[in-house]
Amino acid sequence: MTEIPQERRVVTAIPGPKSQELQARRVASVAGGVGSVLPVFTARAGGGVIEDVDGNRLIDFGSGIAVTSVGASAEAVVRRASAQLADFTHTCFMVTPYEGYVEVCEALAELTPGDHAKKSALFNSGAEAVENAVKIARSYTKRQAVVVFDHGYHGRTNLTMALTAKNMPYKQGFGPFAPEVYRVPVAYGYRWPTGPENCGPEAAAQAIDQMTKQIGAENIAAIIIEPVLGEGGFIEPAKGFLPAIVEFANANGIVFVADEIQSGFCRTGQWFACEDEGIVPDLITTAKGIAGGLPLAAVTGRAEIMDSVHGGGLGGTYGGNPVACAGALGAIETMRELDLNGKARRIEEVMKGRLAAMREKYADKVGCSIGDIRGRGAMIAIELVKDPATKEPNPEAAGALAKACHAEGLLVLTCGTYGNVLRFLPPLVIGEELLNEGLDILENAFAGI
């Protein structure tokens, strides 16, 4: 395995001529509904760098949407997955099982919050994990209603589209959606009418009131929330909100599900984001960062809840594929050996310091301001507004900033219900020099828009 130099290099326009040729082939053969943030075609990736087919090296502030937290070619992931490939690629765990699946479930029982007896089931994608969490919760409670939150994102299958808040591009034209899904307010501090200091208790009271009056607690199978909301704009629910929702769930026999697909596995500086307020979920869904880039997902939860499903009721042909399980064990090994929770906390310290300085420096910039800096660990975002007083969203600025960064060899992503959030998800193994160079590019881009 050849290591990629950890330095930015821009030798052509981005995208370059070879990427443009491949893009022409793509347009002819790949469905138009499959998008790309930046049409540069990857040749190699590792550490904090993506190298394209034209020889450009981009600083990676995306991690494949929080997937390659250990880097895109981590030694332990490659070593373990390669060894498994040489032994066998697949037997289907439901036909003849194998140790790797069991080892991943054992690791999940150890790493996830709570010291109760836990069991897991493995799947392929985050959406599949969330969908199975709903199946399990309904089986256990014998209830049907599922509660989700404003600005939440849970996937692209029919059920998880129903769970997802944002219409475009995730839901537009794809209905009808699964029934018995109910949406309640979330504690979005920056935009809470009475201010962030009141947001946690007020939002919790509103959400609980709606659940009680509009659904009936006795009808709710599951409450599902991302402890840090991802696609919705890296919203951290205001303090006190999650504990109040968990208390309501526990008091009413409702399964509380933490969707940690984007925020889990050291991304926020803890193994799981819900640990920040001591939340112990009944079920936790994981994917993305779990396997170093290989497709794997899991539902982990209280043994009695997980075991409520009849034999054969959970599974899937590829769920817990042996190569993906080997990759997961390699990713977890890397996270432990390199203390990636500590690395994530250091990334937060550097990024928030630099972003706060940018907000102050460009406070008087007409028509574009950094309204909010938020997130934890290496899951950081800025919300862009036209005027700090009105907080009117500025999606045009987010798009222009991303485009300017891409042209200089920095990969950044946008998100948010209003499309006005720039999110930063660097690999946790990124070097600090590269991290600061990326922030330099962002600052120059901000000066230029």
Side-chain angles (χ1 to χ4, degrees):
M1 187 173 71
T2 307
E3 289 203 9
I4 301 167
Q6 295 297 293
E7 54 189 36
R8 181 177 66 103
R9 182 175 73 176
V10 179
V11 294
T12 72
I14 294 177
K18 291 182 181 177
S19 279
Q20 291 178 40
E21 288 175 17
L22 285 165
Q23 178 67 5
R25 289 169 54 191
R26 171 202 168 131
V27 168
S29 60
V30 177
V34 181
S36 288
V37 170
L38 179 59
V40 298
F41 282 73
T42 305
R44 319 185 283 163
V49 167
I50 294 171
E51 184 172 297
D52 72 11
V53 290
D54 290 288
N56 299 299
R57 295 196 197 110
L58 283 67
I59 300 173
D60 182 10
F61 275 16
S63 296
I65 317 182
V67 169
T68 55
S69 298
V70 296
S73 50
E75 185 277 332
V77 174
V78 173
R79 169 171 41 83
R80 286 182 180 246
S82 298
Q84 180 57 55
L85 273 169
D87 288 339
F88 60 94
T89 60
H90 178 73
T91 66
C92 184
F93 191 76
M94 298 183 300
V95 177
T96 58
Y98 37 87
E99 186 179 5
Y101 189 117
V102 177
E103 284 186 281
V104 171
C105 294
E106 289 170 339
L108 286 164
E110 179 188 346
L111 294 171
T112 51
D115 56 7
H116 51 276
K118 300 174 204 161
K119 292 190 176 182
S120 295
L122 304 185
F123 304 99
N124 303 291
S125 70
E128 201 178 339
V130 173
E131 190 137 341
N132 276 277
V134 172
K135 287 167 59 176
I136 293 163
R138 284 174 168 167
S139 176
Y140 178 71
T141 61
K142 305 297 188 282
R143 304 170 182 177
Q144 293 186 347
V146 179
V147 172
V148 287
F149 294 82
D150 287 340
H151 308 287
Y153 174 86
H154 300 287
R156 294 174 181 264
T157 61
N158 185 266
L159 175 57
T160 56
M161 280 191 294
L163 302 176
T164 291
K166 189 175 180 180
N167 176 57
M168 191 68 185
Y170 306 116
K171 303 166 75 166
Q172 176 66 30
F174 298 143
F177 301 113
E180 288 301 308
V181 173
Y182 301 87
R183 199 172 318 283
V184 297
V186 77
Y188 188 171
Y190 177 64
R191 294 191 174 275
W192 196 252
T194 60
E197 65 281 358
N198 302 312
C199 182
E202 288 182 3
Q206 282 190 24
I208 290 167
D209 184 62
Q210 286 188 25
M211 285 188 274
T212 303
K213 291 178 178 173
Q214 297 180 20
I215 313 164
E218 69 277 9
N219 296 314
I220 301 172
I223 296 172
I224 307 174
I225 190 168
E226 304 157 274
V228 177
L229 282 70
E231 297 295 314
F234 282 24
I235 299 163
E236 288 186 89
K239 297 300 182 204
F241 178 79
L242 287 175
I245 298 298
V246 170
E247 184 180 355
F248 173 78
N250 291 344
N252 290 281
I254 301 165
V255 176
F256 180 83
V257 183
D259 178 344
E260 292 262 13
I261 285 156
Q262 190 161 168
S263 59
F265 285 98
C266 306
R267 176 53 58 182
T268 63
Q270 294 166 293
W271 280 100
F272 299 97
C274 60
E275 296 176 64
D276 184 63
E277 289 186 271
I279 301 299
V280 178
D282 297 311
L283 300 178
I284 185 166
T285 59
T286 52
K288 289 192 182 289
I290 191 173
L294 295 170
L296 188 69
V299 182
T300 302
R302 298 183 183 278
E304 67 273 18
I305 299 177
M306 295 297 295
D307 281 344
S308 68
V309 178
H310 54 276
L314 301 177
T317 301
Y318 292 108
N321 169 268
V323 180
C325 285
L329 296 169
I332 292 166
E333 175 188 327
T334 304
M335 291 169 192
R336 283 176 160 146
E337 286 190 358
L338 299 183
D339 182 22
L340 293 192
N341 281 316
K343 299 263 190 190
R345 291 191 293 270
R346 176 58 184 160
I347 288 169
E348 175 184 354
E349 185 181 356
V350 171
M351 292 200 86
K352 282 191 169 177
R354 292 286 306 273
L355 293 169
M358 280 182 225
R359 176 166 60 181
E360 188 173 337
K361 183 175 180 180
Y362 298 106
D364 299 325
K365 195 171 181 68
V366 177
C368 179
S369 298
I370 297 175
D372 196 24
I373 301 166
R374 57 178 179 254
R376 295 202 302 273
M379 190 174 181
I380 304 293
I382 53 174
E383 180 164 354
L384 299 165
V385 294
K386 294 180 180 178
D387 182 343
T390 65
K391 300 182 181 177
E392 181 184 352
N394 195 339
E396 298 81 11
L401 271 175
K403 186 176 180 181
C405 289
H406 295 163
E408 293 300 317
L410 172 66
L411 177 64
V412 296
L413 308 174
T414 59
C415 68
T417 299
Y418 312 108
N420 66 323
V421 176
L422 268 186
R423 57 174 159 172
F424 310 111
L425 293 160
L428 306 182
V429 295
I430 193 170
E432 201 160 310
E433 189 175 327
L434 210 56
L435 181 68
N436 273 302
E437 186 178 355
L439 291 164
D440 290 341
I441 292 168
L442 176 67
E443 184 167 352
N444 290 336
F446 208 93
I449 65 165

